[in-house]
Amino acid sequence: MARVLTPRAEDFPRWYQDLIAKAQLADNGPVRGTMVIRPAGYSIWERMQAEMDARIKVAGAENAYFPLFIPESYLKREAEHVEGFSPELAVVTHAGGKQLAEPVVVRPTSETVIGEFMAKWVDSYRDLPLLLNQWANVVRWELRPRTFLRTSEFLWQEGHTAHADEADARAYARRILHEVYEDFMVGVLGIPVVVGRKTGRERFAGATNTMTLEGMMGDGKALQMGTSHELGQNFAKAFDISFSGRGGGKELAWTTSWGTSTRMLGGLIMAHGDDNGLRVPPKLAPIQAYLMVVKAGEGVAEAAASLRDGLRDAGVRVGLDDRVDTPFGRRAVDAELKGYPVRVELGPRDLAAGNAVIVRRVTSAKTVVPLANVVAEVTAALEADQKALHDEALAFRESRTVEVSSLADAIEAAQTGWARVPWSAVGPQGETEANGKAVTVRCLVRPDGSVPDSEDEPGLVAILARSY
Amino acid sequence: MARVLTPRAEDFPRWYQDLIAKAQLADNGPVRGTMVIRPAGYSIWERMQAEMDARIKVAGAENAYFPLFIPESYLKREAEHVEGFSPELAVVTHAGGKQLAEPVVVRPTSETVIGEFMAKWVDSYRDLPLLLNQWANVVRWELRPRTFLRTSEFLWQEGHTAHADEADARAYARRILHEVYEDFMVGVLGIPVVVGRKTGRERFAGATNTMTLEGMMGDGKALQMGTSHELGQNFAKAFDISFSGRGGGKELAWTTSWGTSTRMLGGLIMAHGDDNGLRVPPKLAPIQAYLMVVKAGEGVAEAAASLRDGLRDAGVRVGLDDRVDTPFGRRAVDAELKGYPVRVELGPRDLAAGNAVIVRRVTSAKTVVPLANVVAEVTAALEADQKALHDEALAFRESRTVEVSSLADAIEAAQTGWARVPWSAVGPQGETEANGKAVTVRCLVRPDGSVPDSEDEPGLVAILARSY
């Protein structure tokens, strides 16, 4: 097969951009840092949305929609928040042909505007918890944009909840972290994320605690795949989200926020892609079985339609490619690029022999299968390859993760992968030193892998890495 | 029942705003003209999206996502388009802490930016038709905002397609109009829309033909519920969407665009709402059967859970309200406001008698039903009331539509409903006169109800009305 992409080992960032272009996942938009998500990319995002949305609803949050435009003054009510976001804001100064009395910012995130409405809607402890989520676009001006990973506009879900006490807020932020995000990322994306607590320096602007899910990419770097924040009473104070408690007195609510975005598409590419293109985990794939008519022939179209129906009836998401006017080789290269988990190839010769050819994207295994067995073979392959992709990513992460005991060794190890080092050997000062060498503390975890309640807990492990 | 809303007959606009507030569908946003769509409203929008999206996909269009920010220069490339939208634009002049070299507009619609990318992606006739759709927010600064109907930001889908010839573009714009929009509005929203052609004056800025679906609201006014446009080669010229044709020569594409928005939520309220609140058609309703535990009692929770499961298994979307601490009367008023098609009420006394009470929102019919029959009764009621709502709206429209032969009579009839009048008795001059009296030509239809190919066809009927 001719070389379609720059090999990963040769130039990983170039391979990434090549893949996005050749698999037609996205294009750069005309305004710096923006992107166009093309159908091949957007259909994967729709599957991410569907899987996430179902989990968010099971966790009890309801979808709503808050305005894109936020009065500049709202941002200023929470000091750390405005400081964190000011450099990235896009500002509308003119609208309807006139200069606006107060400029409005295009939302970089919605804690402030949602805080304002939570204050209106929450009256009594009976109104709590208030569990909201929205699917929306947000804008953060990027100086060094990179498709999916850092774009001036991106799509995401942002959850915002208010609770009667700290324990409830804390538990809910963790519930989302594990039952929604980790479950989706491990079980559907097939990416074995490490779930931990951010250090004070890496915390979200305005949060009291930021928890993160970090995935290892194919070059050994880390990608923050999602975050869940405890906001304490910071936004409740700034927006007066108060309620009459069970005792009758006025109390301040405790809030959380949590988000995942189109950045996950970048994670998917970099965690699972290979030199031939994307590899989409079967549970995520919009098209799980790509049925290709090799060339026209008597009965081939009918046999293909029958295979398609059989696969569909078995619950498989099928795409039919009967563009026999386009050379088969070119279509096969495109199918590799797009990463359909299983290809089913059917031509006149196969049909005459009563067979089809099954090609598995993950293992590259190619087998000739009697037509009657295609559905069973495909469903078995989808099941097996979901696991295979995850296990491959896990084995890779383990092979690139080193246990060390000093900061110097950790910074060294982070050149090619992740370092696990006692947090006591790093600390805020060591973090500064690492940052100077483009290495960050991705998160802190307990020795048993669970998420700490404080960075001061004894025995914590810090994960250091280069990152996107 | 205490008066919860201003009666429709007393003050229709006030009733509309009351209903939106009391049913918790939406709130006004902090920036003038923007809105917050609350969970009760957003869940209906999600159902609209799901039903529309499925139909759009059947029609072959693929979802994608284009940037929110459009260079100001793009808008200027199509003269009529920029003239139409300039007064409504929101402009970003500062971003990332700096003044931008070229201001960017927040998309009011995406013909221009999508035209730019169609030009990149279309090379040969084999790339056509190119059928795209996006779900997105758009911004059009409104001087006289009204929730859902005219808001400075709204949510919508916008389809954009490119075709090799005019006939194909024309057929596709009509396919969307009928198979997607009309099918959804009549079959799911239960609103008997009139489908017709806009006059030159009412045409979309940049289109060669705008087709519309007009619904009659409860006060006799018309609401434009959706539009499908033929754009001719206007945008293809402006953005150079050209391709090598079958003959090898370079040809210009023909494009279409079509959209429906959160405005449909306003149409739903005004077409079906009554003095007690919203009435949601069963096929649309996020909650079709609202199961209310009247008060606690032995076995009631279990019986309610069992009813819920039975309804779910029968494919009914069920909501369970077991908030027995809240007075039943208040919950019942709220259920009326929210417009759940069927309520199933179950309390200790009902249970002791082996019954539940079914209350239908459309007919107000209240019947006592043996528990074993609840599922059958509910599914029958949902089926019947979907039809009943549509038929009621149709009968109302017919009762408020008058056939007249002169412009003067049409303007008179439009004070309370719709006038059907020969287009030859109106014409562009009569249209100006009507507009001066706040009456517009909603659309032109053929005598048999089909959509004309030109406003010059003989025998056309014009529908005149006041409108939102």
Side-chain angles (χ1 to χ4, degrees):
Chain A
M1 193 177 282
R3 167 176 153 161
V4 178
L5 305 174
T6 304
R8 293 195 309 163
E10 189 179 310
D11 185 342
F12 195 84
R14 177 86 181 268
W15 163 84
Y16 177 74
Q17 295 296 350
D18 275 7
L19 192 157
I20 288 171
K22 296 277 175 64
Q24 305 188 325
L25 301 179
D27 260 0
N28 292 324
V31 172
R32 185 176 160 75
T34 63
M35 65 178 162
V36 173
I37 309 179
R38 302 184 67 173
Y42 198 84
S43 61
I44 299 175
W45 175 241
E46 283 182 304
R47 286 281 308 133
M48 289 180 174
Q49 287 187 296
E51 292 281 345
M52 292 275 293
D53 196 66
R55 286 168 176 77
I56 289 168
K57 282 176 171 138
V58 167
E62 294 184 297
N63 285 339
Y65 186 77
F66 292 83
L68 174 70
F69 293 147
I70 301 180
E72 210 171 35
S73 59
Y74 278 31
L75 271 286
K76 294 180 179 161
R77 287 200 218 160
E78 215 290 328
E80 281 189 27
H81 193 66
V82 69
E83 195 187 331
F85 282 105
S86 277
E88 302 176 357
L89 297 178
V91 186
V92 175
T93 52
H94 289 74
K98 288 185 182 165
Q99 180 152 9
L100 296 176
E102 181 188 354
V104 300
V105 303
V106 183
R107 64 178 161 224
T109 179
S110 302
E111 278 76 6
T112 59
V113 65
I114 295 181
E116 175 82 2
F117 283 89
M118 283 179 161
K120 282 189 192 178
W121 299 336
V122 172
D123 190 41
S124 139
Y125 69 91
R126 284 187 209 88
D127 301 322
L128 296 173
L130 177 58
L131 310 175
L132 299 172
N133 178 63
Q134 78 173 358
W135 291 93
N137 54 344
V138 284
V139 169
R140 299 176 185 179
W141 215 254
E142 279 292 346
L143 297 177
R144 290 166 299 120
R146 189 176 292 191
T147 312
F148 295 132
L149 301 175
R150 278 193 311 273
T151 48
S152 293
E153 180 193 8
F154 55 90
L155 304 183
W156 78 344
Q157 61 66 219
E158 50 178 322
H160 297 269
T161 69
H163 304 260
D165 57 51
E166 183 173 22
D168 198 52
R170 177 161 292 179
Y172 199 77
R174 277 165 179 67
R175 178 174 180 185
I176 293 294
L177 187 74
H178 295 296
E179 293 177 23
V180 178
Y181 293 170
E182 186 179 11
D183 186 70
F184 169 72
M185 291 174 192
V186 176
V188 180
L189 285 186
I191 299 179
V193 287
V194 165
V195 188
R197 180 185 179 99
K198 286 287 187 191
T199 63
R201 174 179 316 220
E202 299 283 337
R203 208 177 274 152
F204 175 75
T208 58
N209 172 26
T210 291
M211 293 170 289
T212 179
L213 305 100
E214 302 279 328
M216 183 183 277
M217 303 295 102
D219 58 355
K221 288 191 188 178
L223 181 72
Q224 178 180 302
M225 306 274 299
T227 48
S228 182
H229 316 290
E230 288 182 72
L231 304 173
Q233 295 183 306
N234 293 344
F235 287 89
K237 269 180 205 141
F239 290 89
D240 191 24
I241 311 172
S242 59
F243 63 97
S244 52
R246 285 177 188 275
K250 191 176 161 183
E251 297 180 27
L252 266 187
W254 298 78
T255 68
T256 81
S257 68
W258 26 280
T260 54
S261 73
T262 38
R263 169 170 255 225
M264 289 192 291
L265 285 162
L268 173 74
I269 297 166
M270 292 196 295
H272 295 317
D274 67 16
D275 286 348
N276 294 327
L278 188 57
R279 298 187 300 172
V280 186
K283 284 191 184 167
L284 181 68
I287 293 176
Q288 298 175 304
Y290 192 63
L291 182 53
M292 302 182 72
V293 176
V294 178
K295 59 180 192 173
E298 202 188 318
V300 175
E302 294 73 11
S306 159
L307 269 183
R308 180 196 58 201
D309 295 346
L311 286 162
R312 256 191 209 156
D313 292 348
V316 176
R317 295 186 288 273
V318 192
L320 175 63
D321 175 3
D322 54 5
R323 298 169 298 159
V324 290
D325 291 346
T326 305
F328 179 75
R330 197 195 297 173
R331 291 188 284 142
V333 167
D334 188 58
E336 291 276 304
L337 274 167
K338 297 230 165 81
Y340 307 123
V342 172
R343 294 207 306 270
V344 181
E345 303 174 355
L346 184 71
R349 263 190 292 179
D350 304 305
L351 185 61
N355 294 326
V357 177
I358 290 183
V359 186
R360 291 162 65 170
R361 182 64 182 82
V362 173
T363 59
S364 297
K366 192 167 177 167
T367 46
V368 177
V369 173
L371 288 173
N373 297 357
V374 166
V375 171
E377 292 277 339
V378 166
T379 50
L382 293 173
E383 181 85 17
D385 291 349
Q386 176 74 32
K387 187 172 183 315
L389 264 183
H390 171 273
D391 292 352
E392 186 184 320
L394 181 59
F396 179 75
R397 189 186 82 191
E398 286 176 353
S399 75
R400 292 280 193 112
T401 299
V402 184
E403 299 268 354
V404 296
S405 55
S406 75
L407 177 64
D409 287 353
I411 292 172
E412 172 65 24
Q415 300 313 307
T416 52
W418 292 6
R420 290 173 51 91
V421 57
W423 174 230
S424 60
V426 182
Q429 275 188 312
E431 194 177 4
T432 307
E433 193 181 329
N435 290 179
K437 292 173 179 164
V439 170
T440 48
V441 179
R442 302 314 303 158
C443 61
L444 306 176
V445 296
R446 290 187 181 134
D448 68 359
S450 65
V451 181
D453 282 329
S454 150
E455 67 185 67
D456 300 327
E457 286 183 14
L460 294 184
V461 176
I463 312 237
L464 271 65
R466 292 170 306 145
S467 69
Y468 285 96
Chain B
M1 195 177 283
R3 169 176 152 161
V4 177
L5 305 174
T6 304
R8 293 196 307 162
E10 188 179 309
D11 184 341
F12 194 84
R14 176 86 181 269
W15 163 83
Y16 177 74
Q17 295 296 352
D18 275 7
L19 192 158
I20 288 171
K22 296 276 176 65
Q24 304 188 325
L25 302 178
D27 260 0
N28 292 323
V31 172
R32 186 178 160 72
T34 63
M35 65 178 161
V36 173
I37 309 179
R38 302 183 66 174
Y42 198 84
S43 61
I44 299 176
W45 175 241
E46 283 183 304
R47 286 282 308 134
M48 289 180 173
Q49 287 187 297
E51 293 280 345
M52 292 276 293
D53 196 66
R55 286 168 175 77
I56 289 168
K57 283 177 169 138
V58 167
E62 294 185 297
N63 285 340
Y65 186 78
F66 292 83
L68 174 70
F69 293 148
I70 301 180
E72 210 171 35
S73 58
Y74 278 30
L75 271 285
K76 295 180 177 158
R77 288 201 217 160
E78 215 291 330
E80 281 188 26
H81 192 66
V82 69
E83 195 187 328
F85 282 104
S86 277
E88 303 176 356
L89 297 177
V91 186
V92 175
T93 52
H94 290 73
K98 288 184 181 165
Q99 181 152 7
L100 296 175
E102 182 188 354
V104 299
V105 303
V106 183
R107 64 179 162 225
T109 179
S110 302
E111 278 76 6
T112 59
V113 65
I114 295 182
E116 175 82 2
F117 283 88
M118 283 179 162
K120 283 190 190 176
W121 299 335
V122 171
D123 189 40
S124 138
Y125 68 90
R126 284 186 210 88
D127 301 321
L128 296 173
L130 178 57
L131 310 175
L132 299 172
N133 178 64
Q134 78 173 357
W135 291 93
N137 54 344
V138 285
V139 168
R140 299 176 186 178
W141 214 254
E142 280 291 347
L143 297 178
R144 292 167 298 119
R146 189 176 292 191
T147 312
F148 294 132
L149 301 174
R150 278 193 312 271
T151 48
S152 293
E153 180 193 8
F154 56 90
L155 305 182
W156 79 343
Q157 61 68 218
E158 51 178 323
H160 297 268
T161 69
H163 304 261
D165 57 51
E166 184 173 22
D168 198 50
R170 177 161 292 179
Y172 198 77
R174 277 163 180 68
R175 179 174 180 186
I176 293 294
L177 187 74
H178 294 295
E179 294 178 23
V180 178
Y181 292 171
E182 185 179 9
D183 186 70
F184 169 71
M185 290 174 193
V186 175
V188 180
L189 285 186
I191 299 179
V193 288
V194 165
V195 188
R197 181 185 178 98
K198 286 287 186 191
T199 64
R201 173 180 315 219
E202 299 283 337
R203 207 178 274 152
F204 175 75
T208 58
N209 172 26
T210 290
M211 294 170 289
T212 180
L213 306 100
E214 302 278 329
M216 183 184 278
M217 303 296 102
D219 58 355
K221 288 191 188 178
L223 180 73
Q224 177 180 303
M225 306 274 299
T227 47
S228 182
H229 315 290
E230 288 182 72
L231 304 173
Q233 295 183 307
N234 293 343
F235 287 88
K237 270 180 205 138
F239 290 89
D240 192 25
I241 311 172
S242 60
F243 62 97
S244 52
R246 284 176 188 275
K250 191 177 162 182
E251 298 181 27
L252 266 186
W254 298 77
T255 67
T256 82
S257 67
W258 26 279
T260 54
S261 73
T262 38
R263 170 170 254 225
M264 288 193 292
L265 284 163
L268 174 74
I269 297 167
M270 291 196 294
H272 294 316
D274 67 16
D275 286 348
N276 294 326
L278 188 55
R279 298 187 300 171
V280 186
K283 284 190 184 169
L284 180 68
I287 293 177
Q288 298 176 305
Y290 192 62
L291 183 53
M292 301 181 73
V293 176
V294 178
K295 59 180 193 174
E298 202 189 319
V300 175
E302 294 73 12
S306 160
L307 270 183
R308 180 196 59 200
D309 295 346
L311 286 162
R312 258 192 209 156
D313 292 348
V316 176
R317 294 186 288 273
V318 191
L320 175 62
D321 174 4
D322 54 5
R323 297 170 298 159
V324 289
D325 291 345
T326 305
F328 180 74
R330 197 196 295 173
R331 290 188 284 142
V333 167
D334 188 59
E336 290 277 303
L337 275 166
K338 296 232 165 80
Y340 307 123
V342 172
R343 294 206 305 269
V344 181
E345 303 174 355
L346 184 71
R349 264 189 292 178
D350 305 304
L351 185 61
N355 294 327
V357 177
I358 291 183
V359 186
R360 290 162 67 170
R361 182 65 182 82
V362 173
T363 59
S364 297
K366 191 167 178 167
T367 46
V368 177
V369 173
L371 288 173
N373 297 358
V374 167
V375 172
E377 292 277 340
V378 167
T379 51
L382 294 173
E383 182 85 17
D385 292 347
Q386 176 74 32
K387 187 172 183 314
L389 264 183
H390 171 273
D391 292 351
E392 186 184 319
L394 181 59
F396 178 76
R397 189 186 82 191
E398 286 176 352
S399 76
R400 293 281 192 111
T401 300
V402 184
E403 299 268 353
V404 296
S405 55
S406 75
L407 176 64
D409 287 352
I411 291 172
E412 170 65 23
Q415 300 313 307
T416 52
W418 292 6
R420 289 172 52 90
V421 57
W423 174 229
S424 60
V426 182
Q429 276 189 310
E431 194 176 3
T432 307
E433 194 181 327
N435 290 179
K437 292 173 180 164
V439 169
T440 48
V441 179
R442 304 313 304 159
C443 63
L444 306 175
V445 297
R446 290 186 181 134
D448 67 359
S450 66
V451 181
D453 281 330
S454 151
E455 67 184 66
D456 300 327
E457 285 183 15
L460 294 185
V461 176
I463 314 246
L464 270 66
R466 292 169 307 146
S467 69
Y468 285 95

